[in-house]
C-alpha cells in the first residue's frame, strides 16, 4: 500500500473517490470502489463509484484520488477531562511505591491537587496546556470531543474550564461538547461538608453556568470516594429540571448503586463500569443508556476487575470507548491506543472497538443524529487512513496511520 500523504484540501466542495469506506465505522459493513461527494461542507452523496448519479459526475467539483485507502467517520472521544492545570507525575511515583488511587485521594491528593493547579492557572495558560493534548487527539482523526469541567469546584474556575473548552472548539477543527462535572470531588474549603457543597452545585453553579450557555450535559462522580447516590440524585434532579441530559462516572471502584440511579434519570451513558452488576445492565437496557468503557483508566490505576463485557453483549448494550484523558487515572492523548487496549485488555472485537469510537460514542453524547455516520445530508467529517485493513486501527500502538482528516469539508490538521 503506498504511503504518500493525501493532499490537504481547503474546500467544502469535492469528490473523494477510489476509496474503501466504512460509513458507520463498522468493518463488517463496507463499500469498495467508493466515493463521497461533498458540497457546502455536507455529504451530498456516498456509495459505490459506479453508481454515482450523473449530476455529480458532471459537477465541476475538485476530485481527490484516495488511492484505495480506507475512510471512516471522524473519531469521537466521548469522555475526557482535557482541560486542567499541571499534571500528577509525582502521584504516579507514589502509586508505583505502593499507595493506591483511593488512599492518595483520601490523603487530600488526587483530584484535589489538580483543583489547586487549575484554580491557579489563568485562562490563557489552561488553553495552551489543553491545546497541546487536543492537537495530539486531532492528529489521530478525532473530529468530535466531549470535555468535562470538574477541576474548579467553585463557580469561577468551573466557568473558566468550560470557557476554555468552548474556545478550543472555536479554535480547532473539532466539535466540542461540554459537560459540567461540578460534583467531581469535595473542594478543600467544603471538607466534611459535602452536602453543603452539593447545595452550591445545585443552587448556583449549575443554573448560572447553564444560563451562560456553557453546559451541554451534566456528570457526577458517584462513588465511595466521590458523591453518594442521594447527593448525585440532587444534582440530576436540577439538571433534568433545566432540560440537560445526564451521564455518570459509575461503578469504577465499587458498586454503591450509581448505575441504578443514572438509569432512573435516563442517563445518556454510564462510564467506567468495572463493578457493574447484571441488575444494572438490565436497567441500562430499559433506559437506553450507553456503556462507556475506559481502558486507559483501567490500565493506569492497575485495576484488576474487568467491566462485564459478556453481560453488556448479552443485553445488547451499546458500548463506547474513550480516552478519559485526565491527569490522575488516564494521562493519555491517544484514542487509537484505547482501541488497542479495549481489544487486548477487555477482549473487545475490532468491530466493537471501532463502533465504540464512532456510532456508539455519538450515542453516548446523545448526538447520533449528527456524528458517527457517513450518509447523505450529514456533515462531511471523515478520516482517510493509510492501512490495508481497518483492524490495523486497533492493532498498532504508537503508529499513527491517519493520512488526512476532512471536517465539514474543510481539511483539519493531520500528521
Ligand atoms: O474518570 N473518577 C473520577 N474522575 C476521573 C479521575 C480524575 C482524577 O483523578 O483527576 C476518572 O477516572
Ligand atoms: Fe472520567
Amino acid at each position: 500500500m503506498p504511503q504518500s500523504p493525501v493532499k490537504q484540501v481547503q474546500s467544502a466542495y469535492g469528490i473523494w473517490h477510489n476509496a474503501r469506506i466504512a460509513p458507520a465505522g463498522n468493518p463488517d459493513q463496507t463499500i469498495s470502489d467508493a466515493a463521497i461527494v461533498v458540497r457546502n461542507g455536507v455529504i451530498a452523496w456516498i456509495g459505490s463509484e459506479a453508481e454515482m448519479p450523473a449530476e455529480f459526475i458532471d459537477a465541476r467539483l475538485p476530485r481527490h484520488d484516495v488511492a484505495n485507502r480506507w475512510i471512516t467517520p471522524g473519531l469521537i472521544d466521548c469522555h475526557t477531562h482535557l482541560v486542567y492545570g499541571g499534571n500528577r507525575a509525582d502521584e504516579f511515583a507514589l502509586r508505583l511505591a505502593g499507595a493506591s488511587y483511593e488512599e492518595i485521594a483520601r490523603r487530600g491528593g488526587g483530584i484535589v491537587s489538580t483543583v489547586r493547579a487549575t484554580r491557579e492557572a489563568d485562562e490563557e495558560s489552561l488553553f495552551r496546556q489543553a491545546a497541546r493534548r487536543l492537537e495530539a487527539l486531532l492528529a489521530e482523526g478525532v473530529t468530535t470531543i466531549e470535555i468535562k469541567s470538574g477541576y474548579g469546584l467553585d463557580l469561577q474556575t468551573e466557568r473558566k474550564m468550560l470557557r476554555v473548552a468552548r474556545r478550543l472548539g472555536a479554535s480547532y477543527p473539532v466539535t466540542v461538547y461540554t459537560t459540567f462535572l461540578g460534583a467531581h470531588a469535595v473542594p478543600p474549603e467544603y471538607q466534611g461538608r459535602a452536602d453543603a457543597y452539593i447545595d452550591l452545585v445545585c443552587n448556583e453553579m449549575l443554573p448560572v453556568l447553564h444560563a451562560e450557555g456553557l453546559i451541554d450535559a451534566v456528570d457526577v462522580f458517584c462513588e465511595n470516594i466521590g458523591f453518594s447516590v442521594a447527593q448525585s440524585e440532587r444534582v440530576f434532579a436540577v439538571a433534568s429540571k433545566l432540560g440537560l441530559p445526564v451521564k455518570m462516572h459509575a461503578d469504577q471502584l465499587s458498586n454503591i448503586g450509581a448505575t441504578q440511579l443514572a438509569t432512573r434519570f435516563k442517563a445518556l451513558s454510564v462510564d467506567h463500569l468495572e463493578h457493574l452488576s447484571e441488575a444494572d445492565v438490565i436497567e441500562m437496557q430499559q433506559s437506553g443508556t450507553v456503556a462507556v468503557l475506559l481502558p486507559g483508566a483501567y490500565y493506569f490505576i492497575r485495576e484488576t476487575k474487568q467491566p462485564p463485557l459478556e453481560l453488556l453483549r448479552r443485553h445488547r448494550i451499546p458500548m463506547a470507548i474513550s480516552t478519559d484523558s485526565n491527569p490522575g487515572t488516564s494521562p493519555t492523548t491517544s484514542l487509537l491506543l484505547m482501541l488497542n487496549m479495549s481489544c487486548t485488555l477487555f477482549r473487545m472485537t475490532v468491530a466493537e472497538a471501532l463502533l465504540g469510537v464512532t456510532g456508539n460514542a455519538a450515542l453516548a453524547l446523545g448526538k447520533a443524529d449528527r456524528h458517527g455516520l457517513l450518509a447523505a445530508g450529514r456533515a462531511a467529517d471523515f478520516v482517510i487512513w493509510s492501512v490495508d485493513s481497518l483492524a490495523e486501527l486497533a492493532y498498532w500502538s504508537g503508529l499513527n496511520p491517519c493520512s488526512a482528516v476532512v471536517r465539514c469539508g474543510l481539511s483539519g490538521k493531520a500528521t
Side-chain angles (χ1 to χ4, degrees):
M1 175 105 221
Q3 294 290 312
S4 65
V6 168
K7 209 168 43 172
Q8 297 282 302
V9 180
Q10 301 298 327
S11 163
Y13 294 82
I15 298 179
W16 280 260
H17 69 106
N18 191 15
R20 289 178 280 177
I21 304 180
N26 186 343
D28 301 328
Q29 291 165 14
T30 62
I31 319 171
S32 50
D33 299 314
I36 301 180
V37 180
V38 176
R39 279 200 308 210
N40 209 14
V42 172
I43 298 174
W45 184 85
I46 180 169
S48 160
E49 208 169 337
E51 289 161 21
M52 191 186 292
E55 59 170 307
F56 299 123
I57 300 172
D58 299 342
R60 297 168 67 100
L61 294 171
R63 290 176 74 88
H64 310 280
D65 187 340
V66 174
N68 204 28
R69 288 183 177 83
W70 277 98
I71 292 181
T72 67
L75 304 189
I76 302 167
D77 198 356
C78 67
H79 176 142
T80 85
H81 309 248
L82 204 72
V83 175
Y84 57 84
N87 68 64
R88 305 229 292 275
D90 51 349
E91 185 182 298
F92 179 47
L94 286 179
R95 282 203 300 106
L96 291 176
S100 76
Y101 180 68
E102 278 159 296
E103 278 158 19
I104 291 169
R106 289 190 197 283
R107 278 195 241 148
I111 294 173
V112 169
S113 69
T114 299
V115 170
R116 275 192 294 274
T118 305
R119 286 179 177 179
E120 277 163 22
D122 63 23
E123 199 172 307
E124 222 23 70
S125 147
L126 272 188
F127 181 89
R128 275 199 314 275
Q129 294 180 62
R132 195 166 74 127
R133 297 185 277 269
L134 181 62
E135 285 170 14
L137 287 165
L138 299 193
E140 287 189 351
V142 170
T143 56
T144 302
I145 186 171
E146 183 251 23
I147 301 179
K148 300 176 195 295
S149 70
Y151 291 118
L153 311 185
D154 60 29
L155 176 63
Q156 182 190 329
T157 318
E158 290 290 298
R159 176 189 284 128
K160 182 170 68 179
M161 291 184 71
L162 293 167
R163 282 170 48 97
V164 168
R166 287 272 194 250
R167 266 184 63 203
L168 289 166
S171 312
Y172 284 90
V174 64
T175 304
V176 171
Y177 293 106
T178 56
T179 299
F180 173 69
L181 178 57
H184 193 194
V186 179
E189 62 277 16
Y190 279 85
Q191 209 48 54
R193 296 187 297 132
D195 283 311
Y197 177 63
I198 292 293
D199 288 344
L200 179 74
V201 167
C202 291
N203 301 334
E204 190 179 344
M205 290 158 82
L206 187 41
V208 168
L209 297 173
H210 171 59
E212 293 175 12
L214 288 170
I215 302 179
D216 297 320
V218 174
D219 193 347
V220 175
F221 183 30
C222 184
E223 186 56 71
N224 53 28
I225 59 164
F227 292 93
S228 69
V229 169
Q231 289 161 345
S232 305
E233 181 169 11
R234 292 182 54 207
V235 178
F236 278 4
V238 175
S240 299
K241 219 151 130 207
L242 295 172
L244 290 167
V246 300
K247 41 183 53 240
M248 189 178 253
H249 281 73
D251 304 316
Q252 179 185 14
L253 307 167
S254 63
N255 189 328
I256 60 167
T259 293
Q260 297 276 333
L261 172 70
T263 53
R264 270 211 282 127
F265 282 85
K266 300 252 175 293
L268 291 174
S269 70
V270 284
D271 305 35
H272 284 289
L273 308 181
E274 280 81 352
H275 292 258
L276 194 71
S277 72
E278 181 155 24
D280 296 327
V281 178
I282 291 167
E283 295 296 331
M284 288 171 71
Q285 220 255 339
Q286 316 236 307
S287 61
T289 299
V290 176
V292 177
L293 304 177
L294 305 167
Y298 171 90
Y299 160 79
F300 194 71
I301 63 171
R302 307 182 72 211
E303 176 62 67
T304 49
K305 192 163 165 51
Q306 301 233 343
L309 263 284
E310 270 317 313
L311 282 179
L312 293 167
R313 284 189 185 118
R314 194 176 327 135
H315 293 279
R316 299 188 178 283
I317 306 296
M319 294 184 279
I321 296 164
S322 173
T323 59
D324 192 15
S325 186
N326 79 69
T329 64
S330 195
T332 181
T333 55
S334 174
L335 190 55
L336 291 180
L337 181 60
M338 298 305 107
L339 289 183
N340 176 275
M341 285 188 178
S342 65
C343 296
T344 52
L345 299 177
F346 296 163
R347 294 276 161 231
M348 290 179 89
T349 64
V350 169
E352 285 171 336
L354 289 173
L355 278 171
V357 293
T358 51
N360 287 347
L363 272 180
L365 294 174
K367 302 289 177 190
D369 56 335
R370 298 183 58 180
H371 306 285
L373 176 71
L374 300 176
R378 297 285 192 120
D381 283 3
F382 57 87
V383 187
I384 302 167
W385 303 99
S386 283
V387 292
D388 287 322
S389 83
L390 287 174
E392 285 183 62
L393 300 188
Y395 163 79
W396 298 105
S397 49
L399 180 80
N400 181 6
C402 175
S403 145
V405 181
V406 176
R407 180 179 173 270
C408 290
L410 294 169
S411 287
K413 287 184 189 173
T415 45

